[in-house]
Amino acid sequence: MPRLRLILALVVTALLAVACGDETEEVAPASDLAIERQVGYAVVVDQTGGRTLIGFSTDRNATSGDSYDVSQAVWRVETGPWNEPPVTCLAVGKRLELGISKVQNASQPGLLKSRVIWLSCLAPADE
């Protein structure tokens, strides 16, 4: 998994920096990955080209929404076990909770983009 390799590389780099650093210097702790939770609906589902893109909106009847790539997101149904990609519970009108974080592309340092880390397919809302 590319994410696992990235996390492992970051941990190894941090350990090397601590081991090679001056013993009198204190190394600042790395910040945790901030994940924002959003609940809404998949208003568009596009599973072409080996990627899964969704249009996400808080309005179930919307015809478009914020675009997210969920191809690499871990997922689950309600409170069930987490599963590896690809997500198989997606459908237009499906109620979802997304765990979204801001990440940067290594080839474009400083440019942050929203990335879906995890996705949970929820039961319909009581209306």
Side-chain angles (χ1 to χ4, degrees):
M1 253 175 129
R3 283 188 310 270
L4 183 58
R5 282 188 232 132
L6 175 63
I7 292 170
L8 185 57
L10 290 173
V11 169
V12 169
T13 302
L15 290 175
L16 286 173
V18 170
C20 296
D22 185 5
E23 291 180 20
T24 59
E25 283 184 32
E26 266 191 51
V27 177
S31 61
D32 290 336
L33 181 65
I35 298 177
E36 175 189 353
R37 300 169 80 124
Q38 292 187 14
V39 176
Y41 296 90
V43 294
V44 176
V45 177
D46 180 13
Q47 296 176 314
T48 57
R51 293 176 37 184
T52 303
L53 303 172
I54 64 168
F56 182 79
S57 176
T58 55
D59 178 6
R60 184 174 191 214
N61 298 316
T63 57
S64 66
D66 297 328
S67 179
Y68 292 108
D69 183 344
V70 297
S71 303
Q72 296 181 352
V74 293
W75 64 280
R76 68 180 178 180
V77 175
E78 297 180 22
T79 59
W82 290 102
N83 301 287
E84 292 184 342
V87 180
T88 61
C89 63
L90 285 177
V92 172
K94 185 71 173 172
R95 188 167 166 255
L96 305 172
E97 180 178 19
L98 304 180
I100 303 169
S101 186
K102 296 284 188 188
V103 298
Q104 73 177 0
N105 185 329
S107 65
Q108 298 173 319
L111 180 62
L112 298 179
K113 68 177 193 171
S114 295
R115 178 158 184 179
V116 177
I117 306 299
W118 56 263
L119 176 149
S120 185
C121 292
L122 304 174
D126 294 331
E127 297 186 44

